[in-house]
C-alpha cells in the first residue's frame, strides 16, 4: 500500500451531500462509524454519509484546512452539509453522538424516548469521554510509545484504567448493554475503547462481563468489520 501524501487542502469529499466523517483508525473514529452505519442501515440518513480518512501520523491535523473544522487538531469530526442551511461541523466524538441521536434518530432506535433512560445514556457517554478514553489513551502511550520509560506514569494510568474497568464490570454483571435493554449510543461510544485493552498489555479476560460485552457488540451485523482487527490504531485522536 502506498504512503498517503500530506494534503495541504481540504479533501473535495468534504462538500459531499449529507454527513461527512473525517476519521482515523482509532477508537474515537470507530465509535462514529458504528453509529453512522447503524443509522444508514435504518434508512434515516436522507443523503447518506461519506467517510474520509485523515492521516494524523502525516501531520494533517496541523494543517490550516484541518483546524478550520477541528480547532483542537483532533479527530474525528463530522460535517453536516444540510439541505437549505449552512454546513455544521461537530468536532468532539461525544458531541457527534449526541447530535446524531437528537437530529437523526427521531424514532429512538439507538436512543431513548424516556427522559430518565436518555439521561442515563448521556451519563455513560460522558464517563467514556472523560475517563475511559483519556485514561486508556495515556496508558497506551506509556505502555507502547514512549521512548523514555517511566514506571510511575505507567503504573498510575494502569491502576486507573483497571479501576474504571471494575466500574464497568460491576455494571455489566446484570445487563447486556450499558443502558436499558438495547444497544445505544452509549455502547457505540464505549465498546471501541474496550476492544483495544490488549494494546496496553492488559488481558480483558480478567473482566469477564466486559469481555462478553465486547464480543456481543463485535458480533452484531452492523459493527462486524467496521474495525476489522483492532491490532493497529493511533491513540493520537
Amino acid at each position: 500500500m502506498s504512503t498517503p501524501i500530506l494534503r495541504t487542502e481540504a479533501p473535495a469529499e468534504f462538500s459531499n451531500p449529507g454527513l461527512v466523517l473525517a476519521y482515523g483508525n482509532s477508537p474515537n473514529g470507530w465509535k462514529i462509524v458504528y453509529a453512522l452505519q447503524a443509522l444508514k442501515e435504518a434508512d434515516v440518513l436522507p443523503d447518506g454519509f461519506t467517510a474520509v480518512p485523515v492521516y494524523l501520523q502525516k501531520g494533517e491535523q496541523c494543517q490550516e484546512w484541518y483546524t478550520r473544522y477541528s480547532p483542537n487538531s483532533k479527530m474525528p469530526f463530522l460535517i453536516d452539509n444540510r439541505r437549505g442551511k449552512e454546513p455544521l461541523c461537530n468536532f468532539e466524538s461525544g458531541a457527534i453522538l449526541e447530535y446524531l441521536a437528537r437530529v437523526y434518530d427521531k424514532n429512538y432506535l439507538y436512543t431513548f424516548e424516556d427522559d430518565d433512560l436518555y439521561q442515563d445514556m448521556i451519563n455513560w457517554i460522558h464517563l467514556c469521554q472523560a475517563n475511559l478514553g483519556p485514561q486508556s489513551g495515556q496508558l497506551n502511550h506509556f505502555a507502547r510509545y514512549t521512548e523514555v520509560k517511566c514506571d510511575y506514569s505507567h503504573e498510575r494510568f494502569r491502576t486507573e484504567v483497571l479501576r474504571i474497568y471494575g466500574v464497568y464490570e460491576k455494571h455489566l454483571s446484570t445487563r447486556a448493554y450499558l443502558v436499558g435493554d438495547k444497544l445505544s449510543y452509549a455502547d457505540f461510544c464505549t465498546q471501541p475503547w474496550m476492544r483495544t485493552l490488549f494494546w496496553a498489555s492488559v488481558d480483558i479476560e480478567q473482566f469477564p462481563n466486559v469481555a462478553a460485552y465486547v464480543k456481543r457488540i463485535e458480533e452484531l451485523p452492523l459493527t462486524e468489520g467496521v474495525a476489522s482487527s483492532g491490532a493497529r490504531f493511533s491513540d493520537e485522536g
Side-chain angles (χ1 to χ4, degrees), residues 108 112-123:
Y108 306 101
F112 299 92
E113 187 171 11
D114 179 88
D115 288 341
D116 291 350
L117 287 174
Y118 177 83
Q119 189 57 44
D120 198 25
M121 181 185 79
I122 297 301
N123 289 337

Side-chain angles (χ1 to χ4, degrees), residues 55-63 66-67 73-74 236:
Y55 304 104
L56 303 182
Q57 294 87 348
K58 299 287 292 184
E60 287 196 327
Q61 72 275 24
C62 299
Q63 297 291 307
Y66 194 100
T67 57
S73 299
K74 299 291 184 179
E236 296 178 69

Side-chain angles (χ1 to χ4, degrees), residues 208-222:
N209 296 324
V210 171
Y213 166 81
V214 169
K215 187 172 186 288
R216 185 177 305 122
I217 294 177
E218 198 88 352
E219 293 177 346
L220 293 174
L222 67 89

Side-chain angles (χ1 to χ4, degrees), residues 38-100:
L39 293 174
K40 178 183 177 181
E41 292 188 6
D43 199 25
V44 297
L45 300 180
D47 294 306
F49 77 91
T50 303
V52 181
V54 296
Y55 304 104
L56 303 182
Q57 294 87 348
K58 299 287 292 184
E60 287 196 327
Q61 72 275 24
C62 299
Q63 297 291 307
E64 188 276 333
W65 64 262
Y66 194 100
T67 57
R68 290 202 305 268
Y69 297 97
S70 179
N72 196 34
S73 299
K74 299 291 184 179
M75 55 72 53
F77 59 82
L78 182 75
I79 305 166
D80 190 347
N81 291 314
R82 304 171 293 178
R83 297 178 181 179
K85 296 182 179 180
E86 289 294 314
L88 177 68
C89 184
N90 290 287
F91 55 83
E92 283 288 332
S93 58
I96 293 171
L97 291 173
E98 292 184 44
Y99 179 77
L100 293 174

